[in-house]
Amino acid sequence: MPKTSARLLALLSLLQARRDWPGTLLADRLDISLRTVRRDVDRLRELGYPIAAVKGPDGGYRLSAGTELPPLLFDDEQAVALTIALQVAATSSGDGLADAAARALNTIRQVMPARLRRRVEALQVTAVERPTTRSAAPVDGDVLLAISAAVHAREILRFDYDSPATDRHAPAADRAPAVDRAPRRVEPHHVVTWDGRWYLVAWDLDRAAWRTFRVDRIALRTPNGPRFTPRALPGDDVASYIIGKFRGSSGNGEGGSDGGGWPCQGTVILDRPAAAVALYTREGVVEDAGSGRCRLTLGSWSWPSLAAAIARFDADIEVVGPGELTDAFAHLAGRFTRTATAKGPPT
């Protein structure tokens, strides 16, 4: 009979492999008695694993979904901070840790209490990929959660905003006199990361224009305002807007973005996780699309070159737009077909 520690690990592994296990089958697989199975289950419960008894002719056991590691104890603030960090790392890490971060994020979400899981699921962050040369500005996790919840609920936000001249993190002697300290009223649209900083993309109700606010300069006011119907961003998606905004486009709602500086820009859905695609996308925007898929917005100097750049990810592709990108894939498909069926040079 294996030692107790090894036997407990083997039992835990079996419980993770399928939903329900009859007690007699566990005893057979581990080559132990049913009484020992019951005793080992009690030991795992003492360690914190939620193992439920299953009713039936032979009885059985079930391990609650998602418990894959010994329990870790986090308070709410730590759990939120860990979720945020893993979400960013899963979509923007370039050091080979993205896949591990994505798996860790999934594990944390599965074992998180329902009360807390509902809060963090509202926090959907888009990591806009580019080389970063500065450290991220400090952001209050509660503020980030509150903003994301307002985005999810489509509720108007009210907040005080520190302009660069009145940055509350700067020494008082270095701050310029405040010019306009009236609270902002905005329709929050999206939370993004870009170059190591967090931003809120929103429609400013008082200025009647699209604005991008640094989250570390936001001081929320409560309660939120009424619900609103979301407007269409310039360029119709947050990726186009952010790329244009930070490459010189006005981003004020008077037309679309400048295409991110590329003459051709398109969006596709790739049958690959965002974490895997973001590792090799410095000039594009990657957003998680769920079910192991991602939304990629990318630019290039021509439509065929853009199609070729997307094809390098070796995944099934669904073109979101524009039609020129679909035509470019058809063009390349014909060229590749002719190449593949052409006779080789005479020997």
Side-chain angles (χ1 to χ4, degrees):
M1 179 184 297
K3 292 183 179 179
T4 302
S5 57
R7 197 174 64 242
L8 289 177
L9 288 175
L11 173 58
L12 185 59
S13 178
L14 289 174
L15 289 171
Q16 291 172 178
R18 54 186 280 182
R19 181 171 176 81
D20 296 329
W21 278 93
T24 53
L25 183 56
L26 283 174
D28 290 341
R29 293 289 294 271
L30 296 171
D31 194 22
I32 57 178
S33 68
L34 188 57
R35 180 179 179 181
T36 302
V37 170
R38 289 194 292 267
R39 190 164 56 241
D40 286 350
V41 166
D42 288 338
R43 289 192 179 102
L44 288 176
R45 287 169 174 163
E46 291 172 358
L47 292 173
Y49 290 95
I51 302 174
V54 178
K55 295 181 179 180
D58 300 324
Y61 301 96
R62 175 186 303 160
L63 177 65
S64 296
T67 304
E68 297 180 351
L69 293 172
L72 300 176
L73 300 178
F74 297 105
D75 59 32
D76 286 6
E77 291 182 354
Q78 290 174 323
V80 169
L82 182 59
T83 302
I84 292 171
L86 288 172
Q87 191 170 149
V88 173
T91 57
S92 63
S93 177
D95 55 7
L97 297 177
D99 287 339
R103 287 186 281 108
L105 178 60
N106 185 56
T107 299
I108 292 295
R109 281 174 172 163
Q110 288 179 338
V111 300
M112 193 173 285
R115 162 187 53 79
L116 191 57
R117 185 166 58 247
R118 284 193 294 269
R119 292 181 61 200
V120 300
E121 282 179 347
L123 177 59
Q124 296 298 324
V125 178
T126 301
V128 183
E129 191 69 12
R130 66 172 293 186
T132 299
T133 57
R134 63 185 178 210
S135 299
V139 173
D140 188 310
D142 288 338
V143 171
L144 198 59
L145 272 178
I147 293 174
S148 297
V151 172
H152 184 74
R154 299 176 179 176
E155 295 177 345
I156 291 174
L157 276 177
R158 300 184 308 124
F159 56 84
D160 296 317
Y161 189 69
D162 288 331
S163 66
T166 59
D167 189 345
R168 64 179 177 273
H169 297 300
D174 296 339
R175 299 179 191 172
V179 177
D180 180 8
R181 300 298 293 163
R184 300 293 184 100
R185 297 185 311 117
V186 305
E187 296 175 354
H189 186 276
H190 214 86
V191 178
V192 303
T193 61
W194 175 270
D195 200 19
R197 285 182 176 148
W198 296 84
Y199 295 91
L200 166 65
V201 179
W203 175 262
D204 192 315
L205 291 167
D206 296 316
R207 293 158 179 79
W210 286 101
R211 291 289 187 266
T212 305
F213 301 94
R214 277 179 50 174
V215 173
D216 61 300
R217 290 176 173 165
I218 290 176
L220 293 174
R221 292 192 176 206
T222 56
N224 293 344
R227 300 192 67 181
F228 63 91
T229 300
R231 305 167 190 263
L233 267 171
D236 294 327
D237 64 82
V238 68
S240 298
Y241 175 80
I242 288 295
I243 291 174
K245 176 72 175 177
F246 288 98
R247 286 187 177 173
S249 171
S250 64
N252 59 6
E254 300 173 359
S257 73
D258 64 357
W262 292 107
C264 303
Q265 179 173 291
T267 301
V268 299
I269 302 294
L270 292 178
D271 192 21
R272 279 196 178 276
V277 174
L279 285 173
Y280 306 100
T281 308
R282 287 293 179 186
E283 295 296 328
V285 179
V286 182
E287 301 175 75
D288 181 44
S291 302
R293 307 171 78 210
C294 69
R295 180 185 177 100
L296 171 66
T297 300
L298 199 62
S300 189
W301 58 274
S302 73
W303 293 112
S305 69
L306 178 58
I310 295 171
R312 68 191 172 94
F313 290 103
D314 190 25
D316 289 341
I317 301 167
E318 175 187 335
V319 177
V320 176
E324 290 86 347
L325 181 56
T326 301
D327 295 340
F329 277 113
H331 172 71
L332 289 182
R335 176 179 293 172
F336 293 157
T337 299
R338 290 192 297 271
T339 299
T341 57
K343 293 182 179 180
T347 56

